[in-house]
Amino acid sequence: MQPIPEDKQEHCPGTESDQAGKQSACEGCPNQQICASGEANLPDPDLGNIKERLKDVKHKILVLSGKGGVGKSTFTSQLALALSDTEQEEEEIDVGLLDIDICGPSIPRIMGLHGSRVHNSSMGWEPVYVDQLAVMSIGFLLDDPADAIIWRGPKKNGIIKQFLKDVNWGELDYLVVDTPPGTSDEHISIVQYLKESSITGAVIVTTPQEISLLDVRKEINFCKKVNIPIIGVVENMSIFVCPNCKAESVIFPPTTGGAVKMCEDMDIPFLGSLPLDPRIARSCDTGKPFIVEYPDTPAAIAYRSVVDKVKQFCEDTTK
């Protein structure tokens, strides 16, 4: 993948290309001289700092979605909570949750940390904790949670880099990263910044209808282009399970076969389907962990099944 400058010309070849600054498309670009000199292709000195900061983080998991509104942040929060559930493990599991959805940080609300603030220590920025789960989000840095974050790419990239190199993550078994929808600045940045630290893999969240799958295919191809291992695809809101009578209804019909068919066609692991339960939305609004509050519901059981497959993938990578 060729990194593209923020103020690029159309048809920019990318800073790592041997044609950077030399093609006709580069004429008139404010970066042309820098690109042609090779200065833009020099290694980022902060990559070593990030590698050092994250040296004790065993597994780094990205959670991606092609389209917004598919429940990605909800899934990310439940994944982090389930991974850190010590009742399911013989030994303590340390988990971090990093929110890089810069313009729409919902993790603080979902995790019940609304109004919390980040504190500095001699080790750097200290995460905000839910029990043993370490959380970091730009939402903790806002004076007013209703403030709009109107940032161009470079400023977004800068705060993501700070979250990786300046936060005192300590020793973690898992660092789960909640990303915004699509394949934009935040995704390119996290891949580049973790280049020397390695990404264990990505979980991609979709809903059954084709309008969502269209963008998820792009997300899968993004992962392939930047060499991110794909842990698998999760189909969220696959059915609605009534909390009272337990009857099932299909809310979003899979007109083209849903995520299962897409995974078969693209040779991607399918991790499972998650039913729609109104108590999930209520839990997110109130900051209470759904899988802990309602452990025996069909949705919580489905979540744990998916999480077990994610754990198995991570274990297999360390063998």
Side-chain angles (χ1 to χ4, degrees):
M1 183 184 67
Q2 311 292 345
I4 305 297
E6 303 300 332
D7 48 351
K8 66 179 179 64
Q9 298 282 91
E10 189 177 3
H11 309 304
C12 173
T15 60
E16 292 180 1
S17 169
D18 58 5
Q19 296 299 308
K22 302 172 184 177
Q23 290 188 350
S24 59
C26 302
E27 294 294 331
C29 177
N31 302 303
Q32 183 178 13
Q33 185 175 353
I34 296 174
C35 290
S37 69
E39 184 180 341
N41 199 24
L42 293 176
D44 186 342
D46 280 328
L47 294 186
N49 297 330
I50 292 171
K51 183 179 181 180
E52 177 64 22
R53 176 66 83 174
L54 301 180
K55 67 180 181 180
D56 295 321
V57 178
K58 294 179 183 177
H59 302 291
K60 305 166 194 74
I61 301 170
L62 304 185
V63 182
L64 309 171
S65 71
K67 188 173 290 297
V70 299
K72 171 187 52 57
S73 293
T74 299
F75 171 80
T76 303
S77 65
Q78 302 308 306
L79 171 62
L81 286 164
L83 288 172
S84 64
D85 187 358
T86 55
E87 291 184 6
Q88 303 295 319
E89 302 291 339
E90 295 180 358
E91 56 186 32
E92 186 174 302
I93 301 296
D94 295 309
V95 180
L97 173 53
L98 173 58
D99 179 8
I100 64 167
D101 192 343
I102 305 302
C103 294
S106 53
I107 289 298
R109 168 67 73 176
I110 294 174
M111 300 302 293
L113 298 172
H114 185 65
S116 298
R117 306 291 290 180
V118 171
H119 300 285
N120 281 311
S121 74
S122 60
M123 298 295 291
W125 285 355
E126 293 296 331
V128 180
Y129 283 85
V130 180
D131 295 326
Q132 297 300 313
L133 175 59
V135 184
M136 179 56 68
S137 169
I138 195 171
F140 300 141
L141 305 177
L142 300 178
D143 293 328
D144 184 340
D147 285 344
I149 302 169
I150 309 172
W151 288 0
R152 292 186 183 274
K155 200 164 184 180
K156 289 181 182 180
N157 299 343
I159 193 66
I160 292 171
K161 181 183 285 188
Q162 279 192 276
F163 284 159
L164 294 172
K165 75 180 181 69
D166 294 341
V167 172
N168 181 27
W169 290 108
E171 295 184 9
L172 295 177
D173 295 284
Y174 302 94
L175 177 62
V176 183
V177 182
D178 185 37
T179 67
T183 54
S184 56
D185 292 318
E186 293 90 335
H187 307 82
I188 296 171
S189 294
I190 196 72
V191 170
Q192 289 179 341
Y193 295 154
L194 292 178
K195 182 162 49 175
E196 295 186 8
S197 305
S198 77
I199 297 171
T200 305
V203 177
I204 303 173
V205 182
T206 185
T207 48
Q209 69 271 41
E210 179 60 23
I211 198 67
S212 177
L213 297 174
L214 278 170
D215 290 333
V216 167
R217 293 186 184 95
K218 299 182 180 73
E219 202 78 40
I220 291 170
N221 287 326
F222 168 80
C223 290
K224 291 179 177 179
K225 285 182 179 179
V226 299
N227 298 316
I228 299 175
I230 298 175
I231 299 174
V233 174
V234 174
E235 185 178 75
N236 198 19
M237 310 183 208
S238 57
I239 57 172
F240 168 71
V241 179
C242 176
N244 297 317
C245 68
K246 310 302 181 188
E248 298 181 358
S249 303
V250 177
I251 304 297
F252 303 113
T255 55
T256 58
V260 174
K261 179 67 165 55
M262 180 195 69
C263 288
E264 291 175 355
D265 293 343
M266 301 189 75
D267 193 25
I268 298 297
F270 178 70
L271 297 179
S273 299
L274 302 176
L276 187 63
D277 187 322
R279 290 170 294 193
I280 297 176
R282 190 181 309 126
S283 296
C284 290
D285 283 347
T286 58
K288 296 180 179 179
F290 172 79
I291 60 171
V292 175
E293 295 285 314
Y294 305 98
D296 299 323
T297 59
I301 293 170
Y303 266 110
R304 293 195 183 280
S305 173
V306 169
V307 172
D308 286 343
K309 293 175 183 177
V310 174
K311 285 182 182 177
Q312 188 60 56
F313 181 95
C314 292
E315 290 173 6
D316 291 344
T317 63
T318 57
K319 289 180 180 178

